[in-house]
Amino acid sequence: MDVTAMGFYALVCGCLGLLAPRLERIWLRFGVAALVGIVAAATLPVVRATFGI
């Protein structure tokens, strides 16, 4: 796996982990996690292009 992608997703998942305990319902946590994953996957190419990685 690419080190840049691994670091980016680790950062995104870490931030999501900080938020997750505050979400009470499992489906709400799942929905937020899915949305964050989609946004992270869509954002990574932009971040890579911006930083020239």
Side-chain angles (χ1 to χ4, degrees), residues 3-36:
V3 175
T4 304
M6 189 170 19
F8 180 75
Y9 288 118
L11 179 66
V12 170
C13 290
C15 291
L16 182 59
L18 291 174
L19 175 67
R22 296 188 178 144
L23 301 176
E24 297 175 7
R25 296 179 183 241
I26 194 166
W27 290 110
L28 182 58
R29 275 183 274 168
F30 178 79
V32 169
L35 182 63
V36 168

Side-chain angles (χ1 to χ4, degrees), residues 32-51:
V32 169
L35 182 63
V36 168
I38 291 168
V39 170
T43 308
L44 182 58
V46 176
V47 171
R48 294 184 104 167
T50 301
F51 292 111

